[in-house]
Amino acid sequence: MNVLLLGSGGREHALAWKLAQSPRLSKLFAAPGNPGIAAHAALVEVDPANHDGVIAFCRENAIGLVVVGPEAPLVDGLGNALRAVGIPVFGPDQAAAQLEGSKGFTKDLCQRAGIPTAGYLRAQSREDALAALPGFGLPVVIKADGLAAGKGVIIAETAAEAEAAVNEMFEGAFGAAGASVVIEEFMTGEEASFFALCDGKTVLPFGSAQDHKRVGEGDTGPNTGGMGAYSPARVLTAELQQRVMDEIITPTARTMAAEGTPYSGVFFAGLMLTAEGPKLIEYNARFGDPECQVLMTRLDEDLLDLLLATAEGRLEGHTPPKMRDEVTLTVVMAANGYPGTPEKGGAIGNIEAAEVDGAKVFHAGTALKDGVLVANGGRVLNVTATGANVTAAQAGAYRAVDAINFATGFCRRDIGWREVERERG
Ligand code: AMP
Ligand code: GLY
């Protein structure tokens, strides 16, 4: 079978690497891809915003499955366009992708379905938002409703900060995404991510991970897309995972199906493990980046089979995907300046020397310039290793990081710190 993979980051490199191991794969195409993905796929120019163009490409190249990496094409309705002409696609339709595309949509759905999450209020105007603030304690969380590249969340410690955040959003700091806001009660606890496949009806747990969102060591500094992750997240015990399935994932799938917007793809649930139990922070309608890299490295099954069964509504009776027992950890190497303006064009060398003892380097923002691999984005490489526990996987990942030459890049040196501390006992 021929497959078209959309996207260009480390997430898509991990998906391409895993898809390429499938005996069912004939030819993999990736648009636009990156130099790492090029080892597994033919890179092609297909604009995901041009739905007719994607369909024409699929027909010309006998594509049997389209795998959508990032959220934007899903929120833009590419899933609907492909399904309408009978091309299987991994990723939800537009209405179901609102789970990521509109934070207010998700909060309202949680309320209807009785799913545990932070108390909230939606506001469509600055006046309504300012009037609602005194009803919340401090800190309070202010969120732009729409897609804001992970940046539309402000945790305000004081009333003045909260008012400033509201003003900023309605003045357009996050563009159209901030034309409507969600005000939320602040939850405390440890964060973890949980993934589940859903084919519209049936849900299958797909493992857990923990990301590190802040740019600086000790979880300090500005938020990023994620500086490193590991899987599994042992804080999500088997018992807690069952609660997440029963109290969050299954009711979400059931409610969406009952309301005529069945969800097909992967649920990426951001969770807060509070004293009262796991609560939903937010949903994403795609795999996490870099969480996908650690999930794919642990997956002990044919990814193509799984994604196709999801796309074709055949998950019923399927056992949950098998994951290897070991821990996988990935360290993001970013270009200097990230998450602000990253320095482009810095040379990267010695990747092959880093890929020993099972270590794997996924490309994110890289490019080939005159035959030299260079940085071409904020997050540049995802250096991934496996071990019996987080401590061992972390040691392997940093050995690989230290073998790489990337003078204009940096990484956090403490990925996995919470778990390393726990393992030390
Ligand atoms: P989100 O983009 O919704 O995942 O939010 C980004 C980050 O903000 C999350 O990973 C949390 O660390 C934090 N956050 C969001 N909502 C809340 C909340 N209600 N209480 C506490 N922290 C939150
Ligand atoms: N790493 C967080 C995300 O993919 O949204």
Side-chain angles (χ1 to χ4, degrees), residues 44-127:
V44 291
E45 280 180 36
V46 179
D47 176 7
N50 175 359
H51 298 174
D52 289 340
V54 177
I55 291 167
F57 179 89
C58 290
R59 289 191 167 141
E60 278 157 29
N61 294 282
I63 299 295
L65 175 68
V66 177
V67 178
V68 184
E71 62 279 12
L74 299 169
V75 173
D76 184 41
L78 180 62
N80 306 56
L82 290 167
R83 282 189 188 90
V85 297
I87 299 170
V89 51
F90 181 78
D93 276 350
Q94 186 167 40
Q98 287 301 298
L99 214 52
E100 175 159 4
S102 164
K103 294 187 189 292
F105 170 92
T106 300
K107 299 298 284 189
D108 290 349
L109 181 115
C110 286
Q111 194 167 55
R112 292 196 299 281
I115 292 168
T117 186
Y120 76 106
L121 209 136
R122 298 179 75 172
Q124 318 293 334
S125 73
R126 184 200 305 244
E127 294 66 37

Side-chain angles (χ1 to χ4, degrees), residues 11 211 213 225-226 268 282 284 286-291 379:
R11 168 181 50 212
D211 189 11
K213 290 235 168 96
F268 166 4
E282 63 155 8
N284 295 306
R286 48 165 176 89
F287 281 112
D289 187 347
E291 291 90 334
R379 295 187 293 170

Side-chain angles (χ1 to χ4, degrees), residues 144-274:
D145 184 77
L147 291 183
K151 295 193 181 100
V153 176
I154 296 174
I155 297 175
E157 304 284 343
T158 64
E161 273 175 43
E163 283 170 24
V166 165
N167 285 325
E168 211 189 316
M169 290 202 185
F170 285 104
E171 277 155 21
F174 303 104
S180 164
V181 306
V182 175
I183 306 173
E184 281 182 27
E185 140 198 300
F186 181 80
M187 300 184 283
T188 39
E190 188 166 336
E191 282 182 50
S193 303
F194 186 76
F195 297 82
L197 298 177
C198 182
D199 66 358
K201 310 177 293 287
T202 304
V203 282
L204 288 184
F206 195 83
S208 63
Q210 264 181 314
D211 189 11
H212 300 65
K213 290 235 168 96
R214 306 294 199 93
V215 74
E217 275 152 32
D219 295 332
T220 55
N223 259 321
T224 69
M227 294 300 291
Y230 54 87
S231 173
R234 300 234 188 259
V235 283
L236 265 182
T237 58
E239 184 203 343
L240 283 179
Q241 290 192 39
Q242 193 58 52
R243 278 187 71 177
V244 172
M245 286 298 287
D246 295 345
E247 297 171 19
I248 298 176
I249 305 286
T250 302
T252 302
R254 196 183 297 136
T255 303
M256 292 186 80
E259 294 181 350
T261 52
Y263 188 93
S264 174
V266 60
F267 287 119
F268 166 4
L271 303 170
M272 190 70 85
L273 307 180
T274 73

